[in-house]
Structures are given as structure tokens and as C-alpha cells.
Amino acid sequence: MKIICIGRNYSDHAKEMGAAIPSEPVFFMKPDTALLKENKFYYPSITKDLHYECELVVKISKAGKCIEAEFAKNYYNQISLGIDFTARDLQAQCKEMGLPWEKAKAFDNSAPISEKWIDVAQLTFPVHFEFYQNNELRQKSNSGEMLFSIDQIIAYVSRYVTLKTGDLIFTGTPAGVGPVAIGDHLSGNINGEKMFDFVVH
Ligand code: MG
């Protein structure tokens, strides 16, 4: 499986990063080794400025290529919540040199995802989500605020990359990203339902 991540999909986050509002989706990938399966996250030694980016995550349920947006709903059936951990210091270096972001985004365990998944059929849209750091609200948004909807993302990405069953799409983060520290308690919910809850070791 692969993990596809959308960048700058909320205008308030693009603004806080000093980035332009994109005219088409921006995507990058993380390998399967980025998935955090056990709920034990260790602050990675490669960075001194690790940031959280809480995001809705979509699970692809059917393989497809060049999927039309109007049929995209047939290609995913579950949503969860995850963190697109980012080594902001490394990313800034990569951006400055005009290089790809992989080492800032694709490192081991950079993609913790809730074990719980919610069936799309049981969700009310737009899907609201919140992220808390040490019980303080840091990010709050909903799928209606996305610049590119889930269906548009699937249509766009599948023009370039064949989507396979089990692939995951991180759909972008809203404003409020920030640094984490060892000992931080991170939690998130979807439509008020607790999805993940773990401590940075
Ligand atoms: Mg992100």
C-alpha cells in the first residue's frame, strides 16, 4: 500500500505557511514504513522541529485509474484521523534549495493513524474534526473547508497514480499546525468521537 498526502488543501493553512493558494491539488507520498501501527511514537532523532498536522484520512476500497470525480465515491468507504508529522526544519531546508520534501515527510512512523475507522455511510458531511495537544484545542475544521474535495482529490491523483485497495490519502491540514515535544499528549476526534490518543515518547 501507499500513502498519498495532499498539501495546502485548506486556505487558512496555506496562508499560515506563507504559501500561495494552489490552483490544483499538491500531492506527495509516504512509504508504508511511515505508518505507525503500535501506538508508541518516539520523537525522531532526525529533527529538532517536529510539527503535527492533523488530517482526515481516506481509505481506498477499490482499485482505479483516471477516476472521474462524479464516480469517486465508489472508491472509498472509510475515514479515519491521522497526523502527517513533518520535520519542519528539514522541510524549510528542502524548500530553500528547491528539493523534494521526502526526508521531512516520509520518515519512519511519520504517519500515525487512528485504529478506528468510520464507515462513510455512517458519517454526516461535512466531517468535523478536532486536534488537541495536552488537552488544548489546536486544530479544528471540517471537510467542507477543503479547497479540493475528497472526490476531486481522488480524480486528480488517479490521473497520475493508480489507486489500489488499502491505499490511504491524507487530505491536508487546516491552520494551527505547531511543534510537539516529548511528553506531549496528542488526541483527535471526528464528529466528536475520539479517534486517537497517544503520548510522544
Ligand atoms: Mg499535511
Side-chain angles (χ1 to χ4, degrees), residues 2-14:
K2 55 189 173 291
I3 304 168
I4 294 154
C5 304
I6 307 300
R8 302 172 189 169
N9 201 27
Y10 292 81
S11 58
D12 56 357
H13 173 62

Side-chain angles (χ1 to χ4, degrees), residues 1-53:
M1 56 80 68
K2 55 189 173 291
I3 304 168
I4 294 154
C5 304
I6 307 300
R8 302 172 189 169
N9 201 27
Y10 292 81
S11 58
D12 56 357
H13 173 62
K15 275 182 210 147
E16 76 178 348
M17 297 301 292
I21 307 292
S23 56
E24 51 186 64
V26 176
F27 74 91
F28 57 92
M29 302 220 208
K30 294 183 189 242
D32 58 3
T33 43
L35 259 192
L36 182 62
K37 287 174 184 159
E38 296 146 40
N39 225 356
K40 195 130 192 183
F41 180 79
Y42 292 90
Y43 197 103
S45 58
I46 55 159
T47 180
K48 293 189 164 49
D49 192 23
L50 182 73
H51 277 211
Y52 58 79
E53 294 188 358

Side-chain angles (χ1 to χ4, degrees), residues 5-8 13 28 53 55 84 86 105 170-173:
C5 304
I6 307 300
R8 302 172 189 169
H13 173 62
F28 57 92
E53 294 188 358
E55 311 193 4
D84 165 20
T86 303
K105 287 284 198 181
F170 277 65
T171 55
T173 201

Side-chain angles (χ1 to χ4, degrees), residues 10 20 45 55 68 71 119 127 141 191:
Y10 292 81
S45 58
E55 311 193 4
E68 297 287 344
F71 301 119
D119 288 340
V127 181
S141 195
N191 288 349

Side-chain angles (χ1 to χ4, degrees), residues 2 40 44 57 63 75 100 113 123 132 139 167:
K2 55 189 173 291
K40 195 130 192 183
V57 182
Y75 291 82
I113 296 174
L123 276 171
Y132 291 82
Q139 293 188 283
D167 286 351

